[in-house]
Amino acid sequence: AQTVTQSQPEMSVQEAETVTLSCTYDTSESDYYLFWYKQPPSRQMILVIRQEAYKQQNATENRFSVNFQKAAKSFSLKISDSQLGDAAMYFCAYRSRYNAGNMLTFGGGTRLMVKP
Amino acid sequence: DAGVIQSPRHEVTEMGQEVTLRCKPISGHNSLFWYRQTMMRGLELLIYFNNNVPIDDSGMPEDRFSAKMPNASFSTLKIQPSEPRDSAVYFCASRSLEADTQYFGPGTRLTVL
């Protein structure tokens, strides 16, 4: 079974600075998807960015980018120019590409605080 | 697109009562997922459907929980009888089988007294 680990329960960053959230996962599969979801106080789960494991290029969405290290099974999220609105819980998630599961396996989450 | 719609947004009930949570997936999506989020256990998949058919319900905690998807645009998660330990936020998510991303509803915060 796949597992996803987020080793940082909480992180703090100064507004306008850059922060990196860590995520590691364990799988025996070679093809899969990885995601970062943001959950603000409203509780809504919002997709931030996704990565396809067969693509070597790191995904980027505006101020959000990932460092995908397939061999190391690492998938970190970098937030540049942090804004107050970035304060939220961030969840890393894994999904197999081929098995019938279709389901997401989530990490435990990292709470990001942004200081003005 | 309205996104995934869940109702109610908040539910407070007493132990022993029946609770029904509702979900309308994004139009055209043919996979639907029910998750539960608690502080202790994080996000857990309860059950998911493909084309209205339950595929994996191994995450359903016990027989008190049941889920149905009578058609492509509606699903329910029922708890009968409810217990205080069922208090959590319940999320519904949907996905197109051809796509790789699940989109989540706003969640239902359930409190069982």
Side-chain angles (χ1 to χ4, degrees), chain A residues 102, chain B residues 23-34 47-57 67-76 93-97:
Chain A
N102 284 324
Chain B
C23 175
K24 176 179 169 55
I26 292 173
S27 178
H29 284 191
N30 37 20
S31 287
L32 184 140
F33 306 80
W34 282 101
I47 186 171
Y48 80 93
F49 297 82
N50 282 350
N51 295 317
N52 312 339
V53 177
I55 302 299
D56 185 348
D57 65 354
K68 294 182 180 180
M69 192 165 185
N71 57 62
S73 59
F74 184 65
S75 177
T76 59
S94 71
R95 178 179 85 88
S96 167
L97 280 174

Side-chain angles (χ1 to χ4, degrees), chain A residues 35 37 39 44 50 100 102, chain B residues 37 48 95 100 102 104:
Chain A
F35 304 85
Y37 281 89
Q39 187 179 39
Q44 178 84 44
R50 80 180 204 279
N102 284 324
Chain B
Q37 185 179 34
Y48 80 93
R95 178 179 85 88
D100 52 43
Q102 290 182 22
F104 284 74

Side-chain angles (χ1 to χ4, degrees), chain A residues 51-116:
Chain A
Q51 175 81 40
E52 298 164 35
Y54 61 88
K55 290 187 177 179
Q56 292 187 349
Q57 185 173 6
N58 288 325
T60 299
E61 289 287 342
N62 301 315
R63 298 183 294 108
F64 298 86
S65 61
V66 298
N67 183 4
F68 174 47
Q69 301 290 328
K70 191 172 184 178
K73 297 179 183 177
S74 171
F75 182 60
S76 60
L77 175 70
K78 186 171 82 170
I79 305 174
S80 304
D81 185 25
S82 297
Q83 300 175 359
L84 295 178
D86 295 333
M89 285 288 291
Y90 285 82
F91 292 94
C92 178
Y94 170 102
R95 185 177 85 78
S96 171
R97 182 179 174 90
Y98 292 116
N99 74 17
N102 284 324
M103 60 190 192
L104 291 172
T105 301
F106 285 91
T110 297
R111 181 174 301 280
L112 177 66
M113 294 173 284
V114 181
K115 299 177 181 177

Side-chain angles (χ1 to χ4, degrees), chain A residues 3-80:
Chain A
T3 58
V4 178
T5 302
Q6 294 178 248
S7 59
Q8 306 152 316
E10 282 190 0
M11 290 285 285
S12 180
V13 63
Q14 202 72 35
E15 194 176 5
E17 297 294 310
T18 296
V19 65
T20 298
L21 309 184
S22 300
C23 172
T24 58
Y25 56 94
D26 186 24
T27 184
S28 58
E29 299 175 336
S30 60
D31 206 2
Y32 45 86
Y33 298 100
L34 295 164
F35 304 85
W36 279 98
Y37 281 89
K38 170 185 177 182
Q39 187 179 39
S42 67
R43 300 197 313 268
Q44 178 84 44
M45 292 286 286
I46 303 166
L47 177 69
V48 175
I49 198 166
R50 80 180 204 279
Q51 175 81 40
E52 298 164 35
Y54 61 88
K55 290 187 177 179
Q56 292 187 349
Q57 185 173 6
N58 288 325
T60 299
E61 289 287 342
N62 301 315
R63 298 183 294 108
F64 298 86
S65 61
V66 298
N67 183 4
F68 174 47
Q69 301 290 328
K70 191 172 184 178
K73 297 179 183 177
S74 171
F75 182 60
S76 60
L77 175 70
K78 186 171 82 170
I79 305 174
S80 304

